[in-house]
Amino acid sequence: MKTDVVIIGGGPSGLLLSQLLNRAGVETVVLERSPRERVLSRIRAGVLEAGTVEMLQKAGAGERMLREGHPHEGCIFSDGDLMVRIDFGALTGKTVMVYGQTEVTADLYAAQDAMGATILHEVSEVAIRDADSDAPFVEFTHDGARKRIDCAYVAGCDGFHGVSRRTIPESVRREYERVYPFGWLGLLSRTPPAHDELIYANSANGFALASMRNPMLSRYYVQVPLSDRVEDWSDDRFWERLKSCLPGEVAETLVTGPSIEKSIAPLRSFVSEPLRWGRLFLVGDAAHIVPPTGAKGLNLAVSDVFYLHRALIDAVRHGETAGIDSYSERALRRIWKAMRFSWSMTMMVHRFDGEDSFAAEMRRATLLHLSQSETARRDLAENYIGLPF
Ligand code: RFL
Ligand code: PHB
């Protein structure tokens, strides 16, 4: 087999890249480890930046999102009963879209199917060969047989645990990491959301987030120690903790119900540089992880795809390599700004075990400042709705 670009990973970044390349006449093969149903059963991000919404439309995969997604003009930060609204519309003229990653992925698969794109599921033992030469190829096992695809470029869209990043020699890679001493326990329930906008809630019992997918589907998170397991948290215990973290007026009217899904995600900041090694390019979670606090993970994957799809089209179609030469540097500039925002939001809303009495006062003062300064609110809004590509 032979193709222009082999894409490792059929998550949101791999699918979006494949879709944009196919539409521009660049041939791809997507290699995905899991069956499609498993990729589509992952409950992850829920907030799309305006730039992400635009990219999905550009890819011809935005129709259902525009119909069924929910534009949000603001969100709330709270500390106890103090609630501060960040009005994205008034502060930036832009909004975000509440539309689940699961739905984004389903729409991208549907768009790829409609184009007759090649996506191989349940591939294993993927190995990227000779990426630092002019003739790279990818070997993998599929349907019980070892196979090989020759290509011009390889896009590593295989997430944090994939093979792509580890294909780059250790002597070339620079890794930056911060591991936070807590995780988020998430719960999905068929109940009306606690509020019509997201609430990032700080409290004496730690952080909680009240989010949603639609008017009858809510997504909530509470901060938990890394040692906790999902089995430690009955639904009742979860709801009780959530109520204790939310502002009183919201907790009072909270509708609870049985969980449909419950899982714990650790919080980490991670960047691996550079994003390019020869003809291999890293995209999305394969290269970087942000804590979910700023809702940036999926959006950052999309901005990487924005830079890379244009660069690969120029290289494959027109033999112009300036775009692929500057991909790593351009994408990293935006990545580090999103890293900073996600880190600062994480520090602003979480309780750290063993922290001194000063820390909680600093968080509260930050919120008070937000409540009184339009400049502070605009800075937060500008980052939350997404910095320009
Ligand atoms: P993905 O989604 O991890 O997709 C990578 C795909 O590659 C496949 N794969 C392989 N395929 C072939 N060969 C291999 N060797 C392979 N190894 C892996 C995997 O099966 C998978 O299908 O990365 P991508 O496409 O870069 O997309 C990034 C986003 O998924 C990610 O940034 C966000 O979901 C992060 N994230 C969240 N972001 C938010 O903005 N808000 C959230 O609430 C939020 N919650 C989360 C999250 C990430 C989580 N992870 C990764 C543990 C919750 C969790 C649990
Ligand atoms: C979600 O709805 O899953 C969600 C929303 C905002 C975040 C993180 C997760 O910051």
Side-chain angles (χ1 to χ4, degrees):
M1 255 204 277
K2 193 169 169 35
T3 193
D4 293 325
V5 182
V6 173
I7 296 176
I8 323 274
S13 30
L15 295 170
L16 179 61
L17 180 63
S18 178
Q19 179 69 10
L20 290 163
L21 292 179
N22 290 162
R23 279 167 78 93
V26 175
E27 227 184 71
T28 65
V29 174
V30 177
L31 304 178
E32 166 58 48
R33 188 181 52 188
S34 299
R36 188 176 292 203
E37 312 78 65
R38 193 168 317 145
V39 178
L40 290 175
S41 67
R42 298 178 186 138
I43 313 283
R44 290 184 177 176
V47 177
L48 309 183
E49 296 174 353
T52 299
V53 169
E54 232 173 83
M55 282 287 281
L56 289 168
Q57 286 174 264
K58 183 173 177 228
E63 215 171 277
R64 189 167 70 99
M65 168 190 68
L66 292 183
R67 229 175 29 243
E68 296 178 13
H70 300 272
H72 277 219
E73 298 222 340
C75 76
I76 311 280
F77 284 82
S78 72
D79 189 334
D81 287 336
L82 172 63
M83 292 169 76
V84 180
R85 179 164 188 266
I86 309 294
D87 187 332
F88 309 140
L91 293 164
T92 68
K94 295 201 173 136
T95 60
V96 294
M97 180 76 89
V98 169
Y99 190 65
Q101 177 169 332
T102 318
E103 309 308 320
V104 170
T105 312
D107 294 349
L108 286 167
Y109 272 122
Q112 284 273 274
D113 287 347
M115 294 190 70
T118 308
I119 304 175
L120 304 181
H121 283 275
E122 298 182 68
V123 303
S124 59
E125 299 164 290
V126 172
I128 303 163
R129 306 285 187 206
D130 294 351
D132 58 342
S133 80
D134 284 341
F137 62 99
V138 177
E139 290 179 318
F140 58 99
T141 303
H142 188 238
D143 282 342
R146 198 74 186 145
K147 298 184 180 165
R148 168 182 171 142
I149 311 181
D150 292 278
C151 57
Y153 299 100
V154 181
C157 303
D158 48 355
F160 186 65
H161 300 287
V163 297
S164 300
R165 185 178 67 255
R166 283 176 282 123
T167 299
I168 302 178
E170 260 180 52
S171 58
V172 175
R173 264 186 280 152
R174 295 180 301 277
E175 297 191 342
Y176 305 83
E177 184 169 45
R178 163 87 37 110
V179 177
Y180 303 90
F182 41 74
W184 280 16
L185 167 64
L187 178 147
L188 189 70
S189 67
R190 268 187 240 294
T191 50
H195 191 70
D196 52 7
E197 294 180 334
L198 272 70
I199 303 177
Y200 290 86
N202 198 352
S203 82
N205 279 328
F207 171 74
L209 169 61
S211 181
M212 66 203 72
R213 293 291 178 271
N214 64 49
M216 257 321 278
L217 195 56
S218 296
R219 180 71 167 162
Y220 298 106
Y221 298 91
V222 296
Q223 171 182 352
V224 294
L226 282 175
S227 50
D228 278 19
R229 290 164 312 139
V230 174
E231 301 76 61
D232 299 333
W233 286 84
S234 65
D235 287 2
D236 283 347
R237 183 177 175 209
F238 182 94
W239 292 117
E240 200 178 307
R241 168 60 62 83
L242 178 67
K243 279 186 186 173
S244 78
C245 299
L246 292 173
E249 62 179 271
V250 178
E252 264 168 37
T253 57
L254 180 77
V255 180
T256 64
S259 61
I260 311 171
E261 191 262 4
K262 243 188 305 189
S263 53
I264 293 182
L267 266 69
R268 119 182 26 237
S269 299
F270 172 84
V271 181
S272 179
E273 296 183 349
L275 304 186
R276 176 196 186 179
W277 184 59
R279 288 172 173 258
L280 167 64
F281 301 88
L282 300 182
V283 181
D285 278 18
H288 43 77
I289 298 288
V290 285
T293 328
K296 290 283 166 259
L298 175 60
N299 293 299
L300 214 45
V302 171
S303 63
D304 289 355
V305 170
F306 170 79
Y307 299 122
L308 187 60
H309 90 282
R310 299 219 296 199
L312 286 174
I313 292 167
D314 283 349
V316 172
R317 301 282 317 264
H318 313 297
E320 286 166 16
T321 55
I324 57 173
D325 289 340
S326 61
Y327 166 68
S328 182
E329 200 186 318
R330 286 188 72 195
L332 279 166
R333 275 205 290 267
R334 191 171 188 279
I335 289 162
W336 277 113
K337 286 183 277 185
M339 285 286 150
R340 185 202 70 84
F341 177 66
S342 307
W343 160 82
S344 72
M345 284 254 307
T346 301
M347 301 304 287
M348 176 175 135
V349 296
H350 290 87
R351 223 181 69 83
F352 285 70
D353 257 358
E355 68 182 15
D356 55 23
S357 55
F358 190 73
E361 293 307 318
M362 287 301 98
R363 289 195 294 273
R364 199 164 172 82
T366 305
L367 197 69
L368 268 180
H369 178 56
L370 265 188
S371 73
Q372 288 160 359
S373 163
E374 186 177 302
T375 307
R377 286 195 299 279
R378 177 168 291 117
D379 177 55
L380 198 157
E382 194 174 83
N383 280 280
Y384 193 91
I385 61 110
L387 296 174
F389 289 172

